[in-house]
Amino acid sequence: MSVGTSGAKRALRARDVHSAPASPRGDLTDLTDLGIDPDDLPDGLVIADERGRVICFNAAAARITAVPAADALGRQLEWALPLEDLEGRRWWQLTDPYGGLAIRVAQPERNLLLPGGREVLVSARYVRTAPTGPVRRVVVSLRDTEARRRTERSHAELIATVAHELRSPLTSVKGFTATLLAKWERFTDDQKKLMLETVDADANRVTRLIAELLDISRIDSGRLELRRQPVDLGVAVGRHIQSYVASGQSADRFLLRISQPLPDLWADPDKVDQVLSNLLENAVRHGEGTVTIDVEPAPSPRERECAGTSVTVSDEGPGIPEESMNRVFTRFWRGSKRGGTGLGLYIVKGIVEAHGGTITVGRAPGGGAQFRFTLPVGTPAYLL
């Protein structure tokens, strides 16, 4: 136990034994009597008495402020927490917890600055003996903003990526449509057809990007809806292979191996198609040689019965560097510079996990990349 915590408990015990305020909500009794160790709290906790002296400064507060608890205890609150607002004004002088409005009971959470410009999230509560009585305790909660900053940076990266990805196709669409409208008679039918095909392809690109953004929003908020139906993964993979062959890929480029019998699988067929489409596209575009797809039952690690169905997609290309393996399913990861938003595998992982499944990445026997996802066997509850 830290010196700061022990001193805080002794101070709280000495002061609270001789005072019995009417409101139990407004009383901060000895924390040990409640079975709570201040150092166990995830947020910084600072408590000042009726004269503004710090009587509790837990380990998280010491970590966040870089002020040792032993130095803070017994000091004035303004010295232990020299906070400033974003305009450089001293926070405790502005709020004046001990001499301000008698009806004020708290300060809402806001961003404030520690010396050196480090941002922290601060909220405070004023504990009074009566609704408009003098302040008996000032309880301050501190939170580090690093996690929030990472989220904000992620959102900023998403916006920048979307803006960049949208600008190119929209510029193309705008340019071709404006040219056709202004000089329609000057172009041959073949030229018009080429321009319209380009516009159509760019419009499809924008549509795919918007669909990806909607999927990310649903995954992040936990609102990805699944419409489960019986799905034959072998047939689904075969359908994707036929589509690639029809678009010009050699049939010899693909090797499909299905281990029978496969268990009955209930999944969202559209979402499963989205996963297969992404994994196969990555193998075709970024891999080399034969693309091998294995569909087989997935045994349960604890039981002899089948736990689900797994699909493994392997190629014979350069593969994924070892140092990048743990970043493959994060936003904006790109295995190469050859296009893409870097959102596909993040969405794939979200879809698989929404089904209760798992997905992994590794190195294929032929040296390329190998993605394996497993969807659990299970009949929807409403059919049982």
Side-chain angles (χ1 to χ4, degrees), residues 65 67 77-84 90-92 113-115:
T65 62
V67 175
L77 182 59
E78 185 174 354
W79 183 94
L81 285 179
L83 298 168
E84 296 181 352
R90 294 190 175 183
W91 181 242
W92 298 116
L113 301 176
L114 289 169

Side-chain angles (χ1 to χ4, degrees), residues 1-331:
M1 184 177 294
S2 69
V3 173
T5 299
S6 299
K9 292 178 178 178
R10 288 195 297 269
L12 283 172
R13 185 180 297 110
R15 303 195 63 85
D16 289 337
V17 165
H18 301 290
S19 60
S23 172
R25 182 179 177 83
D27 182 30
L28 283 173
T29 58
D30 185 2
L31 297 179
T32 57
D33 293 341
L34 301 176
I36 300 173
D37 187 336
D39 284 347
D40 292 338
L41 299 176
D43 295 336
L45 174 66
V46 180
I47 304 175
D49 64 12
E50 66 270 16
R51 285 179 284 183
R53 295 180 305 180
V54 174
I55 60 174
C56 179
F57 204 85
N58 74 345
R63 173 179 53 80
I64 293 171
T65 62
V67 175
D71 294 345
L73 288 170
R75 294 295 193 102
Q76 288 295 310
L77 182 59
E78 185 174 354
W79 183 94
L81 285 179
L83 298 168
E84 296 181 352
D85 66 11
L86 300 183
E87 297 178 4
R89 298 173 297 183
R90 294 190 175 183
W91 181 242
W92 298 116
Q93 292 182 5
L94 285 177
T95 57
D96 192 12
Y98 294 95
L101 292 174
I103 60 173
R104 182 178 295 167
V105 296
Q107 288 288 343
E109 186 178 74
R110 65 191 64 203
N111 275 25
L112 297 176
L113 301 176
L114 289 169
R118 183 179 178 184
E119 286 191 22
V120 289
L121 295 172
V122 180
S123 58
R125 180 167 180 80
Y126 307 151
V127 182
R128 302 177 186 273
T129 55
T132 58
V135 174
R136 183 170 173 271
R137 296 280 190 272
V138 175
V139 184
V140 183
S141 173
L142 304 174
R143 289 183 179 179
D144 200 329
T145 61
E146 186 57 34
R148 182 172 293 188
R149 284 188 175 186
R150 286 196 298 267
T151 301
E152 290 174 351
R153 283 197 297 268
S154 177
H155 289 166
E157 290 175 358
L158 180 60
I159 292 172
T161 300
V162 170
H164 175 76
E165 294 293 331
L166 284 175
R167 180 172 56 188
S168 178
L170 290 179
T171 299
S172 173
V173 168
K174 176 63 177 175
F176 278 121
T177 53
T179 301
L180 286 171
L181 288 172
K183 303 176 181 180
W184 179 266
E185 297 82 3
R186 301 185 184 183
F187 295 109
T188 66
D189 289 344
D190 288 341
Q191 289 173 325
K192 293 174 184 177
K193 181 180 179 182
L194 177 62
M195 290 185 184
L196 290 174
E197 287 175 345
T198 304
V199 168
D200 182 63
D202 286 333
N204 288 336
R205 181 177 167 188
V206 172
T207 301
R208 284 196 302 272
L209 179 58
I210 293 173
E212 287 182 345
L213 294 176
L214 290 173
D215 285 335
I216 287 176
S217 175
R218 296 185 183 111
I219 290 170
D220 289 346
S221 63
R223 294 185 294 106
L224 187 66
E225 295 183 1
L226 301 177
R227 296 176 173 83
R228 295 180 184 268
Q229 303 174 26
V231 174
D232 188 326
L233 278 176
V235 172
V237 173
R239 187 168 59 249
H240 282 275
I241 293 175
Q242 291 174 4
S243 176
Y244 275 106
V245 172
S247 64
Q249 290 286 337
S250 170
D252 296 335
R253 179 85 192 272
F254 302 94
L255 173 61
L256 173 59
R257 299 184 297 204
I258 304 175
S259 299
Q260 298 289 357
L262 293 174
D264 294 334
L265 176 67
W266 286 77
D268 187 319
D270 293 334
K271 296 293 189 292
V272 170
D273 277 343
Q274 192 173 349
V275 171
L276 293 174
S277 175
N278 191 288
L279 296 182
L280 288 172
E281 182 180 0
N282 283 343
V284 171
R285 290 181 59 188
H286 306 297
E288 298 173 2
T290 302
V291 176
T292 303
I293 306 98
D294 291 295
V295 184
E296 57 191 351
S300 172
R302 299 180 181 178
E303 302 175 6
R304 294 183 179 180
E305 63 184 23
C306 178
T309 303
S310 68
V311 177
T312 305
V313 180
S314 310
D315 64 69
E316 299 174 346
I320 299 171
E322 290 292 335
E323 62 271 15
S324 299
M325 289 288 188
N326 60 344
R327 296 187 291 111
V328 167
F329 297 109
T330 59
R331 292 182 184 180

